[in-house]
Each structure stands twice: as C-alpha cells, then as structure tokens.
Amino acid sequence: MKKGVALGLAVISVILWTWPASAEYKAGMRLASALPMDHPYMVGAQKFADLIKERTGGRITIKLYPSNQLGKGEREMTEGIQQGAIDLLVSSTGPLGGFSPSINILDFPFLFRDFDHVDLVLDGPIGRRLLDDFEKAHIKALSFWENGFRHLTNSKVAVRKVEDARGLKIRTMENRIHLSAWKDAGLNPTPMAWGEVFTALQQKVIDGQENPVAVFYSSKFWDAGQKYFSITAHVYSPAPLLASKKTFDSMPREDQELFLKTSYETGRFQRKINRDAEEARLKEIAAKGVTIVRQVDRESFKKAMAQTYESFSSQFPKAEIEAIMNAR
Ligand code: PAF
C-alpha cells in the first residue's frame, strides 16, 4: 500500500516538474487561413492574437499567415496542423471530413433554418461532440467560427431556380457531401483546392463556384468574370478554429483554458461581424457590375438535393440529422 502511494506521488511530481507553469511558458505561434486579412476569418484571427497577447502579458504571441501562405489549400494546412508544423488554423469544413468524418454532418444542404439555429446547434452539446471528435485525428478543435451560408455564382446565366443551373460546371470544395448534392441537382461539379479557383474561373475552365458573400467579396471574383450571384443559401459553412495537438498539449493547463475561453469569445465576435457586413458587401459586389439574384426558388434546390440525405444515411442516420434539424 505504502509502495503504491509512494509511486503515485513520484508520478505526480514528475508530471508537475515537466508541466510548465504559466508564468514560465513562452511561445510564438503561427495562425493560418486560406483567406486574406480583410476577410472575417482573419479579422477574427487578429482579435484572437491581440486578446491572447494581452491576457498572457505578452508570453504568447501569434503571427498571422493569411491567403494560403502556409499551404496550397485547407487540406494541406490541416495536415500541417496534424503534424505540428502549423499551430492554429481557421478552416471551412471542406476537407475536414477526411480527418474527422463526423464533422461532415454539418455539410448537408438545407440543414439549418437561419443563424439562430446555427448558433443553437454549434454552441450546444452536438457542436461540442463534433469538436471533441477531432482529438482522434490528433487535432484540438477549439471552437466554431464561421464562413457563412453559401451561394451559387457563375459567369453564364442568372440562376433563379435549379433548372437554370443544370449543366453548369462549378467548383466545389473537396467534400463528399457537397459533391454529391451538386450532382443530384444536375450540375457538373469539380472538386478543387481553393488556391486554383480564381485562375480556373478566369480561364473559363469552370463556369462558377459557391461560397459565402464575404469570400466572393474578398476574392474579387468579378475580376475573374463571375457575373451572376444567386442567393441560394443552400448550405451553411462553419469554420472551426483548429490547434495542433502537439502545441496545445505542451501548454500549461491555465493557458489551455485561456485558449478555449478566448477562442469561444472570439468566435461569437467573428460570427457577428461576418453577418453584420453581408448586406453592405452585397451592395459593393453589385456596384462592381455583378447581378445579384435575390428571388431564388430555394425550394427547387432543396428538392433536387434531398437525395443526398439518402445516399449517406448509413453514415449519418436520420435520427442524428433530425436532432440537428429539430433543435429549437
Ligand atoms: O470554398 C472554399 O474552399 C472555402 O469556403 C474557403 C474559401 C477556402 C474558405 O474557407
């Protein structure tokens, strides 16, 4: 018995000895994303970096790497997070199902009614479970930030209903649910890393793409010949803030808690500025000569994409989907 106690105390003292105290811990971290500094991802990232610096008295500093500087696209940068080469990343769920398959449940079309519905699910137990699942992939998912509701844009036709879009060659994220939904809707989707999209649009390799207002705006897609922007809001696109588990596990416990709390707080701020800016951004996009199609028959897209739920029902059972859809 005494031997057991002694061994236990020895183990605890080794842990305490090797676990850095907050006051001693210092780090310079790198935070990446695919988007430029004026996009809400990076506005949120700047706020997070400022708060962490202030709250740790400058012990932890975070340098920002926008616009795919640390990788060709979100899949490559998520690999960087997994390997510990990048400390922090804001990424859409595009490629994340390849790391933590359960996150794909958020990628189904017409799953969320509106932003209140989104917040209820992402900030509740379902959202927490989806973030925790990343641990199996050696990634620490801190909290949900957002990309926004995605809309279809193209260079050829004013899309008012799904029939208008049939046959369009569009880029999708490298995401099995999105790809399947667009095929079901009768379009010709091609998965492509983000870094290649502008040139592919410009060279007319593809007719269109789909993304939230802020992405279209910060990417200046009118300069790549995108003429029509249809408010399809066909899917909500969350963007978790991910941390390398190697980095996170090396931090003192108080700093880990500070990261979780501050990332959640920043996520609320980031979602708000993203939503608040949408209408003004749309007006600026229209001023660049892009036709904004506001009257879209969303029901026609919803019907055409309904088959996607059936196609993935063995991986995402009806009960799990309904728990999200019926959240009130
Ligand atoms: O379309 C995508 O790949 C993503 O929405 C983007 C633009 C990289 C932002 O996460």
Side-chain angles (χ1 to χ4, degrees), residues 276-322:
D276 287 354
E278 272 204 343
E279 198 44 46
R281 293 280 184 258
L282 267 181
K283 291 204 174 103
E284 290 178 65
I285 292 170
K288 297 289 178 191
V290 177
T291 302
I292 312 290
V293 184
R294 289 180 186 267
Q295 300 301 324
V296 175
D297 178 1
R298 293 182 64 236
E299 210 42 51
S300 71
F301 281 90
K302 190 174 173 179
K303 267 196 207 138
M305 292 178 169
Q307 171 59 33
T308 313
Y309 285 89
E310 297 306 321
S311 309
F312 290 93
S313 60
S314 59
Q315 292 148 70
F316 300 102
K318 209 166 169 207
E320 282 183 26
I321 298 280
E322 281 177 357

Side-chain angles (χ1 to χ4, degrees), residues 34-35 41 74 91-92 147 150 171 173 194 210-211 215:
L35 295 171
Y41 278 6
E74 291 178 332
S91 171
S92 74
N147 195 3
R150 301 177 80 91
R171 174 266 178 179
M173 296 200 288
W194 176 244
E210 46 82 56
N211 250 304
V215 171

Side-chain angles (χ1 to χ4, degrees), residues 125-176:
I126 297 178
R128 189 69 257 160
R129 181 174 53 76
L130 295 174
L131 293 176
D132 289 347
D133 280 350
F134 277 90
E135 298 259 351
K136 292 175 212 146
H138 303 289
I139 293 171
K140 180 75 195 170
L142 299 176
S143 66
F144 279 107
W145 295 16
E146 84 173 9
N147 195 3
F149 278 97
R150 301 177 80 91
H151 308 288
L152 179 66
T153 78
N154 80 96
S155 58
K156 284 191 163 159
V157 55
V159 174
R160 299 198 157 77
K161 53 185 181 316
V162 73
E163 289 78 11
D164 300 334
R166 295 231 156 105
L168 282 180
K169 191 161 183 200
I170 62 158
R171 174 266 178 179
T172 66
M173 296 200 288
E174 298 163 287
N175 179 301
R176 57 197 175 131

Side-chain angles (χ1 to χ4, degrees), residues 4-301:
V5 172
L7 187 66
L9 286 175
V11 170
I12 290 169
S13 61
V14 168
I15 290 173
L16 289 177
W17 189 68
T18 48
W19 197 281
S22 268
E24 292 159 13
Y25 180 83
K26 285 199 176 81
M29 299 185 185
R30 305 198 302 166
L31 188 158
S33 98
L35 295 171
M37 285 306 289
D38 67 349
H39 184 274
Y41 278 6
M42 294 311 287
V43 178
Q46 184 67 64
K47 170 123 183 143
F48 183 70
D50 291 346
L51 286 173
I52 291 293
K53 187 172 174 195
E54 182 194 312
R55 291 174 181 178
T56 61
R59 283 184 300 105
I60 304 181
T61 53
I62 299 173
K63 194 161 180 233
L64 307 183
Y65 293 84
S67 306
N68 276 343
Q69 281 177 30
L70 300 188
K72 247 204 320 249
E74 291 178 332
R75 185 168 44 76
E76 205 173 289
M77 288 191 283
T78 310
E79 282 162 9
I81 285 283
Q82 207 174 33
Q83 291 150 9
I86 303 175
D87 302 294
L88 295 152
L89 171 72
V90 192
S91 171
S92 74
T93 52
L96 296 185
F99 298 85
S100 183
S102 64
I103 195 73
N104 276 148
I105 197 164
L106 300 178
D107 293 317
F108 281 95
F110 300 97
L111 181 68
F112 291 103
R113 292 181 296 278
D114 51 29
F115 286 126
D116 286 344
H117 185 194
V118 164
D119 292 347
L120 196 69
V121 173
L122 298 191
D123 296 337
I126 297 178
R128 189 69 257 160
R129 181 174 53 76
L130 295 174
L131 293 176
D132 289 347
D133 280 350
F134 277 90
E135 298 259 351
K136 292 175 212 146
H138 303 289
I139 293 171
K140 180 75 195 170
L142 299 176
S143 66
F144 279 107
W145 295 16
E146 84 173 9
N147 195 3
F149 278 97
R150 301 177 80 91
H151 308 288
L152 179 66
T153 78
N154 80 96
S155 58
K156 284 191 163 159
V157 55
V159 174
R160 299 198 157 77
K161 53 185 181 316
V162 73
E163 289 78 11
D164 300 334
R166 295 231 156 105
L168 282 180
K169 191 161 183 200
I170 62 158
R171 174 266 178 179
T172 66
M173 296 200 288
E174 298 163 287
N175 179 301
R176 57 197 175 131
I177 314 270
H178 286 204
L179 189 61
S180 163
W182 286 114
K183 276 190 186 148
D184 290 340
L187 280 79
N188 188 358
T190 312
M192 196 182 277
W194 176 244
E196 293 159 27
V197 179
F198 191 94
T199 313
L201 288 171
Q202 208 171 31
Q203 295 178 349
K204 304 267 183 282
V205 175
I206 45 174
D207 306 315
Q209 61 90 48
E210 46 82 56
N211 250 304
V213 175
V215 171
F216 188 96
Y217 178 80
S218 68
S219 307
K220 301 184 175 51
F221 275 162
W222 52 86
D223 284 342
Q226 290 292 278
K227 290 198 189 117
Y228 303 98
F229 191 117
S230 298
I231 306 290
T232 48
H234 51 273
V235 68
Y236 175 76
S237 186
L241 175 64
L242 306 175
S244 143
K245 211 164 138 42
K246 200 167 150 201
T247 304
F248 192 80
D249 288 351
S250 71
M251 292 163 72
R253 215 172 293 291
E254 301 96 274
D255 287 336
Q256 291 180 341
E257 274 158 23
L258 180 72
F259 261 53
L260 285 166
K261 180 175 161 283
T262 308
S263 104
Y264 177 77
E265 194 183 319
T266 314
R268 301 294 296 198
F269 159 85
Q270 191 271 346
R271 288 185 223 168
K272 182 164 171 17
I273 55 155
N274 191 39
R275 296 166 192 184
D276 287 354
E278 272 204 343
E279 198 44 46
R281 293 280 184 258
L282 267 181
K283 291 204 174 103
E284 290 178 65
I285 292 170
K288 297 289 178 191
V290 177
T291 302
I292 312 290
V293 184
R294 289 180 186 267
Q295 300 301 324
V296 175
D297 178 1
R298 293 182 64 236
E299 210 42 51
S300 71
F301 281 90

